[in-house]
Amino acid sequence: SMEDRLKRNTVNLFSHIEDLGKRMQVEVSDMNERTAALEKDAKVQEISVEVNINKITQDRLLDFLDKLERGVELIRITKLRFRARTDKDQQKLIDANVTISTYKAKAS
């Protein structure tokens, strides 16, 4: 079944992240897409988008990341870096750098 999911995966990661961010009112910035170099005989291609999410609470960040991974699309969080900060109102916020990946069967 995983092979079928890889073959059918047509998710546009950029658009999907932007749309979910708008629906959840999470400001996503500085999105950079990259495609992992494939080995000569590799059958799977990894497409990743690195995003910055600034001034967000820990709960909202976790909810956003959870919705990305639990959707019907084949999406995984492959890297998460964050830095705690405190704004003027002393509300604890996080600046996060997240790498979000999807996988597709390599075209034959």
Side-chain angles (χ1 to χ4, degrees):
S1 75
M2 182 57 79
E3 189 174 338
D4 288 339
R5 286 185 73 189
L6 290 168
K7 288 178 182 177
R8 291 189 317 247
N9 186 5
T10 60
V11 66
N12 181 323
L13 212 46
F14 237 80
S15 298
H16 185 73
I17 294 166
E18 278 184 335
D19 292 344
L20 182 62
K22 287 177 185 174
R23 285 195 313 264
M24 295 185 67
Q25 297 179 342
V26 171
E27 187 175 331
V28 178
S29 61
D30 300 328
M31 295 198 327
N32 297 309
E33 183 175 276
R34 62 176 189 247
T35 302
L38 295 174
E39 295 178 20
K40 185 177 180 180
D41 297 328
K43 295 181 180 180
V44 177
Q45 180 178 25
E46 178 181 6
I47 299 152
S48 300
V49 174
E50 186 175 320
V51 301
N52 290 321
I53 303 170
N54 297 318
K55 297 181 182 178
I56 188 169
T57 63
Q58 178 181 345
D59 291 343
R60 288 192 64 212
L61 176 63
L62 292 174
D63 191 34
F64 178 72
L65 298 178
D66 184 60
K67 285 196 179 6
L68 278 170
E69 281 200 330
R70 291 191 188 266
V72 296
E73 295 81 7
L74 185 58
I75 295 175
R76 297 291 175 252
I77 307 305
T78 53
K79 187 176 184 183
L80 172 62
R81 290 185 305 203
F82 61 91
R83 178 174 52 100
R85 62 183 293 158
T86 305
D87 71 356
K88 295 176 187 174
D89 299 327
Q90 299 303 309
Q91 179 185 12
K92 293 186 180 187
L93 299 174
I94 293 173
D95 288 341
N97 177 272
V98 184
T99 302
I100 303 162
S101 301
T102 191
Y103 304 90
K104 297 181 180 189
K106 181 180 172 185
S108 300

